[in-house]
């Protein structure tokens, strides 16, 4: 900043320091190679998702639907609808392992799916797709020539594996990038570096997809129709004309430090798992239960940034309307596309000094409502 970069517009393609650092960061923690020219900064993954949806909606006119692996972050579906894309979904909680193959293929056979979108770990359930499940998705993406948008906002935050998070060492974050070339990764700094307020992320496109040409893009923009160039110069440039220098330099510094082992972001973010574990203990003591409680192979879902809960057999809306009177808030799972009723809680939203208050308020809630339900 002292050198005067703030009086110059930032490169729409990203400053070289950032694209180089992001490429190394992805190699270090996902174990895949994405070259610098296939990486571009965005104003958070929200903008990245919006730009990708816009582009993908223009690739093939006969593919007008994005398939979400629900539950999902509600605004991502809202973005699709704003653009004019239709949305379809599969509740991943009901289709784990080999069941996922049949459920996905049934959707893809229709020929209208332009992309598959998911987060891993999942927001809001915190279920985690396994390498076997990602292999299934990847093979079907190849067979049906479907693009996969992988949101790794919570990269390496499946804290059940204590060996995660060592740069350039397995086990890496599970990723679709090992099983298909038709994929794009959204890598955000909001959670992994606790940098949400600065809106910092990158889109990393598999090089085969990045360099692919689409006739519909050529016709629309009178260009060569290349995926990456269209994404950067037509879509992102029209949305924001670049990401601020200060954010780009900060992202570059954090990603570089993490890849060099100077920042242990997995250890730093473990506080969310600790908080989630304590919140669940308090809730279960007062007869609340976790909604999405099982992960693949019937393993208990891990503790992390988000968790789901319900009380007795109430709908999420009923529970929301009652809890608010006790000073407890969350969002209904219905808004996330979940097929199960309940609510999403956020471990980051509670301070250390608020745990006793949570215990007291839920005790009062349970005192007032348990007798009527038993």
């Amino acid at each position: 900043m002292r050198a005067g970069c703030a009086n110059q517009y930032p490169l729409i393609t990203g400053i070289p320091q950032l694209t180089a650092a992001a490429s190394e960061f992805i190699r270090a923690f996902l174990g895949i190679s994405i070259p610098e020219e296939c990486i571009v900064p965005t104003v958070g993954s929200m903008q990245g998702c919006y730009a990708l949806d816009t582009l993908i909606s223009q690739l093939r006119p006969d593919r007008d639907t994005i398939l979400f692996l629900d539950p999902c972050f509600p605004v991502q579906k809202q973005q699709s609808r704003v653009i004019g894309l239709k949305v379809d979904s599969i509740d991943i909680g009901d289709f784990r392992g080999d069941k996922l193959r049949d459920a996905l293929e049934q959707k893809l056979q229709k020929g209208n799916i332009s992309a598959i979108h998911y987060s891993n770990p999942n927001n809001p359930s915190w279920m985690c797709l396994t390498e076997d499940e990602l292999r299934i998705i990847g093979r079907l993406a190849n067979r049906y020539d479907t693009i996969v948008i992988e949101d790794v906002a919570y990269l390496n935050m499946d804290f059940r594996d204590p060996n995660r998070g060592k740069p350039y060492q397995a086990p890496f974050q599970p990723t679709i990038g090992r099983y298909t070339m038709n994929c794009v990764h959204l890598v955000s700094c909001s959670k992994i570096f606790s940098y949400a307020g600065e809106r910092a992320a990158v889109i990393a496109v598999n090089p085969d997809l990045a360099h692919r040409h689409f006739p519909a893009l050529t016709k629309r923009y009178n260009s060569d129709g290349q995926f990456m160039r269209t994404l950067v110069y037509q879509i992102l440039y029209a949305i924001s004309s670049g990401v601020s220098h200060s954010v780009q330099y900060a992202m570059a510094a954090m990603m570089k430090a993490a890849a060099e082992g100077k920042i242990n972001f997995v250890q730093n973010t473990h506080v969310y798992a600790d908080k989630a574990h304590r919140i669940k203990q308090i809730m279960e003591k007062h007869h609340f239960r976790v909604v999405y409680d099982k992960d693949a192979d019937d393993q208990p879902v891990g503790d992390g940034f988000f968790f789901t809960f319900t009380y007795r057999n109430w709908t999420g809306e009923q529970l929301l309307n009652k809890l608010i009177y006790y000073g407890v808030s969350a969002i209904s799972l219905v808004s996330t596309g979940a097929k199960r009723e309940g609510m999403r809680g956020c471990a980051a939203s509670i301070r250390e000094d608020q745990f006793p208050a949570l215990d007291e308020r839920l005790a009062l809630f349970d005192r007032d409502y348990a007798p009527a339900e038993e």
Side-chain angles (χ1 to χ4, degrees):
M1 299 297 287
R2 292 192 186 98
C5 68
N7 65 11
Q8 300 293 322
Y9 285 116
L11 288 170
I12 184 64
T13 53
I15 61 173
Q17 294 93 327
L18 173 58
T19 53
S23 180
E24 278 306 308
F25 181 84
I26 290 168
R27 192 190 316 275
F29 296 105
L30 276 81
I32 59 174
S33 296
I34 305 287
E36 298 175 34
E37 65 270 19
C38 297
I39 297 173
V40 62
T42 59
V43 184
S45 283
M46 285 283 292
Q47 188 197 49
C49 180
Y50 189 78
L52 287 168
D53 281 1
T54 303
L55 177 60
I56 288 169
S57 71
Q58 300 170 1
L59 299 181
R60 288 166 286 204
D62 58 328
R63 300 198 179 192
D64 59 358
T65 305
I66 288 189
L67 178 64
F68 286 87
L69 302 187
D70 281 342
C72 75
F73 181 37
V75 185
Q76 290 171 336
K77 285 184 180 176
Q78 179 181 329
Q79 289 178 323
S80 298
R81 294 188 180 102
V82 168
I83 293 164
L85 276 168
K86 298 175 184 176
V87 298
D88 199 353
S89 64
I90 295 171
D91 190 318
I92 192 68
D94 297 330
F95 299 96
R96 301 308 303 263
D98 290 338
K99 292 180 180 178
L100 180 60
R101 180 185 296 105
D102 294 338
L104 275 176
E105 190 145 32
Q106 188 175 16
K107 299 287 187 181
L108 295 174
Q109 284 174 343
K110 298 176 183 178
N112 64 327
I113 303 297
S114 59
I116 301 168
H117 191 127
Y118 63 84
S119 61
N120 195 31
N122 174 266
N123 172 3
S125 72
W126 215 250
M127 293 181 295
C128 295
L129 292 169
T130 66
E131 292 284 355
D132 286 341
E133 289 170 328
L134 291 169
R135 186 181 294 109
I136 289 170
I137 297 170
R139 287 176 176 173
L140 290 174
N142 292 337
R143 183 182 305 168
Y144 292 96
D145 193 20
T146 305
I147 295 170
V148 181
I149 303 174
E150 179 176 75
D151 186 349
V152 286
Y154 315 101
L155 188 150
N156 271 334
M157 289 171 66
D158 181 0
F159 301 109
R160 293 172 297 183
D161 187 345
N163 297 313
R164 286 275 194 93
K166 298 174 183 176
Y168 304 103
Q169 294 182 40
F172 296 104
Q173 161 77 27
T175 176
I176 195 69
R178 280 186 267 282
Y179 308 109
T180 182
M181 296 178 291
N182 285 334
C183 62
V184 184
H185 314 275
L186 294 169
V187 184
S188 169
C189 293
S190 293
K191 305 303 187 296
I192 59 178
F193 293 122
S194 298
Y195 204 59
E198 297 303 309
R199 312 304 305 128
V202 297
I203 296 174
V205 185
N206 180 282
D208 285 72
L209 176 59
H211 299 142
R212 185 174 170 182
H213 298 262
F214 291 84
L217 296 181
T218 298
K219 181 179 180 180
R220 186 184 189 100
Y221 296 108
N222 193 28
S223 65
D224 65 356
Q226 192 204 60
F227 186 96
M228 193 71 193
R229 275 196 286 271
T230 307
L231 173 66
V232 174
Y233 295 110
Q234 302 293 344
I235 309 299
L236 284 172
Y237 189 69
I239 293 174
S240 72
S241 70
V243 176
S244 68
H245 272 122
S246 56
V247 167
Q248 290 199 55
Y249 278 107
M251 270 197 287
M254 290 186 290
M255 287 180 165
K256 184 174 185 293
E260 292 175 350
K262 296 177 181 177
I263 293 177
N264 189 335
F265 69 89
V266 177
Q267 185 180 65
N268 292 342
T269 55
H270 200 284
V271 63
Y272 300 128
D274 297 336
K275 284 186 173 185
H277 182 71
R278 292 167 64 188
I279 294 170
K280 287 179 184 178
Q281 283 185 323
I282 292 172
M283 300 194 88
E284 288 170 351
K285 181 172 69 171
H286 301 300
H287 300 109
F288 289 79
R289 61 180 175 82
V290 177
V291 178
Y292 287 90
D293 58 336
K294 297 295 184 181
D295 215 326
D297 301 323
D298 209 35
Q299 295 298 311
V301 72
D303 296 319
F305 200 85
F306 295 113
F307 58 94
T308 60
F309 66 93
T310 190
Y311 186 83
R312 302 297 189 258
N313 61 347
W314 292 353
T315 67
E317 185 177 355
Q318 287 173 323
L319 185 53
L320 172 65
N321 289 336
K322 293 181 184 296
L323 274 176
I324 198 71
Y325 288 101
Y326 294 79
V328 179
S329 65
I331 69 168
S332 171
L333 285 180
V334 170
S335 67
T336 71
K339 299 297 185 290
R340 305 178 190 181
E341 287 287 353
M343 300 180 71
R344 183 200 78 175
C346 179
S349 298
I350 187 169
R351 301 190 310 268
E352 188 66 29
D353 63 308
Q354 292 178 317
F355 282 97
L358 178 66
D359 195 2
E360 290 175 12
R361 295 174 188 188
L362 294 185
L364 290 171
F365 183 91
D366 194 40
R367 180 201 66 186
D368 293 343
Y369 290 106
E373 298 294 333
E374 293 178 349

